[in-house]
Amino acid sequence: MEIKINLNGKDIVSTIEPDTLLIDFLRQQGCLSVKRGCDTSNCGLCTVFQDDQPILSCSVLAARAAGHKIVTLEGMQKEAQGFAEFIADQGAEQCGFCNPGMMMNAMALLRENDDPSDEDILNYLAGNLCRCSGYEGQLRGIKNYIAYLKRSGKEDLS
């Protein structure tokens, strides 16, 4: 079957099998930040934005994304670069495997709430599995990034 998707700002037309998962389609398109972890929608490693909302690409058929705008971390390099520096500064990227999904969800949070509490941040990141850290580094990095945005006069990541 043929699908049309706007992927990271570029219109893609592709022929896929009906049972192709979105994660597999995205990786075939070179979006390697989208990672396979659990295949059960529990780890957050495969998080992408569909029409500006975070979704888990391991639990969505690529055919269901047809006609939608899909954004991966590759399509958010400008926003992600500064944010990633704050996460790295806190030592929160020990192995780095969870970072793309964690960053996608953190950026989604900051688009919805530019002044989240610690509890808001931890609740929003609850679906992201990180086996290396206790999430404290990510929490500190996000809080430091929010403080930076406020100091620099930037309102949000949109």
Side-chain angles (χ1 to χ4, degrees):
M1 75 185 302
E2 184 177 277
I3 61 169
K4 296 176 185 176
I5 293 177
N6 182 286
L7 176 59
N8 296 328
K10 181 180 176 187
D11 290 326
I12 304 279
V13 177
S14 185
T15 302
I16 63 165
E17 294 297 320
D19 63 347
T20 301
L21 290 172
L22 183 56
I23 186 173
D24 296 322
F25 174 78
L26 294 172
R27 290 186 63 81
Q28 290 166 0
Q29 300 302 315
C31 299
L32 301 181
S33 71
V34 185
K35 297 183 180 163
R36 173 169 268 112
C38 66
D39 280 330
T40 59
S41 303
N42 286 307
C43 71
L45 295 174
C46 66
T47 302
V48 299
F49 289 166
Q50 178 174 301
D51 300 329
D52 297 321
Q53 296 298 314
I55 64 166
L56 299 170
S57 63
C58 76
S59 61
V60 175
L61 292 173
R64 300 285 253 159
H68 292 278
K69 179 177 86 169
I70 302 295
V71 178
T72 67
L73 195 58
E74 286 85 357
M76 300 182 71
Q77 289 302 301
K78 184 178 177 185
E79 298 97 326
Q81 182 178 1
F83 180 59
E85 292 171 9
F86 282 86
I87 297 297
D89 185 54
Q90 295 301 315
E93 61 168 16
Q94 292 176 28
C95 82
F97 196 69
C98 69
N99 277 1
M102 187 85 62
M103 289 178 60
M104 293 294 288
N105 279 302
M107 287 188 285
L109 165 67
L110 296 176
R111 287 178 174 190
E112 292 178 19
N113 181 353
D114 63 358
D115 193 22
S117 67
D118 288 6
E119 185 177 341
D120 292 335
I121 295 168
L122 292 173
N123 284 336
Y124 215 85
L125 298 181
N128 291 270
L129 178 65
C130 177
R131 293 187 173 138
C132 297
S133 75
Y135 301 94
E136 289 301 313
Q138 287 93 342
L139 177 62
R140 284 190 312 271
I142 292 168
K143 289 172 59 174
N144 289 343
Y145 187 63
I146 292 168
Y148 161 76
L149 290 175
K150 288 179 180 178
R151 283 192 311 271
S152 65
K154 297 179 182 180
E155 293 297 315
D156 63 301
L157 291 171
S158 25

